[in-house]
Amino acid sequence: MEGIPPKVHVNRLEAASRSSIVACTNHGLYSLGNGRWTDLRLPFVCYAYKEIGGIGFAATERGLWCRTDKGWKNIASAENPVYDLFATPHFIFLALPWGIALYDRLTCAWEQFPLRTAIVRLAAMDGALLGIAESGEIALGDLKGGFNRFRMPGNFAFNAVRLGHSLFFCTDRGLYRAAKIRSQFSLVSVSLGCPVTDVDLGKGQLHMATLNEGIQTIPWT
């Protein structure tokens, strides 16, 4: 904890360049190196951090910020919080309090997709954008310029995480893996029994962040 404020709330941990870790906190961004945290001097609540083409982007309570040689610069949605971002070679997608916004990196144009709910996580599934709503619903792109919203029966979705070729859903009932059965979207149970909020894969083990029971690990091949 050296170098990071006491009683800090960590919203997310992200991998960064040079094998470092960036913590997105309610006191800004902090980078871990040589056993201590360094303040990256972005004085806003931060929800997510991604590096795209070697450039750092931060989703904060005051929009999307880009790290430059001269410091941080706001590049989008300065009046709204941005909860997550997802990038492809041609597009950057933002998770916003009212839905999803798309930035076309070729034409430098924005497009908005109002969904009447806050989107807090973004991922991809079969070439379509997928968002997790604050209500626990899923918003899945229909590949026609729109989104379909639905809820997994009996489940509240916290997060969607792609690991390799698999897409995992973290829910209040446990961890599930997305699958298609007869061309229909379905979920396959991986671990049940306690709410899972995040997941990562390393050395043949799935590491699950749970809501009340710490980090749990199960074998995964």
Side-chain angles (χ1 to χ4, degrees):
M1 294 297 293
E2 185 179 354
I4 205 168
K7 298 182 180 180
V8 68
H9 180 86
V10 179
N11 294 313
R12 208 164 178 180
L13 293 174
E14 301 277 15
S17 58
R18 301 177 184 176
S19 301
S20 65
I21 297 293
V22 171
C24 307
T25 82
N26 60 327
H27 291 287
L29 282 178
Y30 291 81
S31 176
L32 181 63
N34 299 320
R36 66 169 287 119
W37 294 96
T38 300
D39 188 351
L40 296 183
R41 301 188 180 281
L42 185 61
F44 306 119
V45 176
C46 294
Y47 302 107
Y49 175 85
K50 295 286 192 307
E51 291 189 354
I52 305 170
I55 300 174
F57 293 86
T60 80
E61 64 177 338
R62 296 190 183 180
L64 181 68
W65 290 72
C66 172
R67 195 178 188 187
T68 71
D69 294 337
K70 297 181 180 180
W72 291 95
K73 178 182 179 181
N74 179 261
I75 59 173
S77 192
E79 298 179 356
N80 289 304
V82 176
Y83 299 119
D84 199 5
L85 66 150
F86 182 86
T88 70
H90 297 135
F91 304 104
I92 296 177
F93 298 91
L94 303 182
L96 298 165
W98 45 261
I100 294 171
L102 173 155
Y103 177 68
D104 189 325
R105 302 172 72 180
L106 297 179
T107 63
C108 299
W110 284 94
E111 187 169 353
Q112 299 181 349
F113 301 93
L115 297 173
R116 298 193 303 275
T117 186
I119 300 297
V120 296
R121 288 290 186 267
L122 294 173
M125 179 176 172
D126 292 339
L129 186 70
L130 181 145
I132 302 295
E134 65 175 352
S135 61
E137 292 181 305
I138 295 171
L140 182 61
D142 59 11
L143 301 178
K144 300 177 182 178
F147 286 84
N148 296 314
R149 288 173 54 183
F150 62 94
R151 182 182 296 276
M152 297 181 289
N155 280 273
F156 185 104
F158 295 117
N159 200 358
V161 181
R162 179 162 292 282
L163 299 174
H165 298 294
S166 297
L167 180 65
F168 294 91
F169 285 90
C170 305
T171 79
D172 62 339
R173 296 182 62 184
L175 184 67
Y176 294 82
R177 180 174 59 86
K180 275 197 170 181
I181 300 176
R182 296 179 181 178
S183 300
Q184 296 294 318
F185 171 81
S186 62
L187 294 175
V188 177
S189 169
V190 175
S191 178
L192 299 178
C194 64
V196 175
T197 58
D198 206 354
V199 64
D200 203 357
L201 176 66
K203 298 181 180 180
Q205 302 282 329
L206 273 180
H207 306 286
M208 300 177 295
T210 70
L211 198 59
N212 304 306
E213 300 181 26
I215 297 173
Q216 297 190 4
T217 299
I218 60 173
W220 186 262
T221 56

